[in-house]
Amino acid sequence: MYSRILVPLDGSEHAIKALRVAASLAQGGKATLHLMTVAEFPPDNIGLFTGGTAEPFSEAEREKLAEGMKEEAHKVIDQAREAVDLGDLTVEESVRQGRPAERITEEAERVGADVIVMGSRGLGDVRGMVFGSVSHKVSHTAGCGVITVT
C-alpha cells in the first residue's frame, strides 16, 4: 500500500488523530512514518505582540527566538509520540522552519512520501479561516496523495 507516510504535527488534537490513522496505515504495509513539524519564522515586529516597540529584533535576537521555536517544535513531536502507540514502526523525525504548507510539501518530496496524513484543522483555526488552512494548501500543492483527518 504505502511505503513512506508523512505526518505533519502541530500539537492539535486533529494532528494526533491523523497520527493514529497514519500509524494504522503503516502497520498494514510496514511503511515508514515521517513525523515533522514546522517552526515558523519569528516576525520582525514581534515587539508589538509582546508589549514593546515596533523596532525589529537584531539578528542575534531573532536567532535566539528561532532556536526556542525549534525546541518547542521538537516537543510537539515528543508529545505526539507519547499520545500514540507507534509500536515497532520505523519512525523518522524532522523539524523545518518557514511557512508550514510550503515546508510540508517540500518535505514530502524530500522523503519521497506516498501520502501525507494530516489534521484538517490545526492550532491556527482562526487564521486558517481567514487565509486558508494549511491542509487545504497542502492538498492543492502536494505531489502525492493527501489524507485529511477531522
Side-chain angles (χ1 to χ4, degrees):
M1 186 144 180
Y2 299 116
S3 60
R4 289 176 296 287
I5 301 171
L6 178 66
V7 186
L9 301 166
D10 66 358
S12 69
E13 187 56 37
H14 285 275
I16 298 298
K17 289 178 183 178
L19 180 55
R20 286 188 184 106
V21 169
S24 294
L25 291 171
Q27 293 279 347
K30 295 297 180 194
T32 298
L33 287 179
H34 295 270
L35 309 183
M36 76 165 301
T37 190
V38 179
E40 294 188 60
F41 290 120
D44 286 328
N45 60 351
I46 196 163
L48 290 175
F49 300 109
T50 60
T53 67
E55 293 298 316
F57 277 127
S58 70
E59 191 58 34
E61 291 168 323
R62 281 180 58 80
E63 284 297 320
K64 184 177 178 181
L65 183 58
E67 198 54 43
M69 293 173 89
K70 287 179 188 175
E71 287 176 23
E72 289 300 313
H74 282 287
K75 288 179 186 176
V76 166
I77 293 175
D78 293 341
Q79 290 169 347
R81 289 187 78 137
E82 290 174 14
V84 179
D85 179 14
L86 300 178
D88 60 352
L89 293 172
T90 303
V91 180
E92 296 181 6
E93 300 176 1
S94 62
V95 172
R96 300 292 179 243
Q97 191 165 23
R99 292 188 176 105
E102 292 173 12
R103 295 295 89 82
I104 292 166
T105 54
E106 288 171 2
E107 188 71 3
E109 187 174 320
R110 186 186 75 77
V111 302
D114 303 304
V115 67
I116 301 167
V117 180
M118 64 189 301
S120 61
R121 294 301 252 173
L123 293 177
D125 285 346
V126 173
R127 192 175 78 176
M129 288 188 289
V130 177
F131 297 106
S133 71
V134 172
S135 61
H136 179 79
K137 291 175 184 174
V138 169
S139 69
H140 283 83
T141 58
C144 62
V146 178
I147 297 172
T148 55
V149 178
T150 56

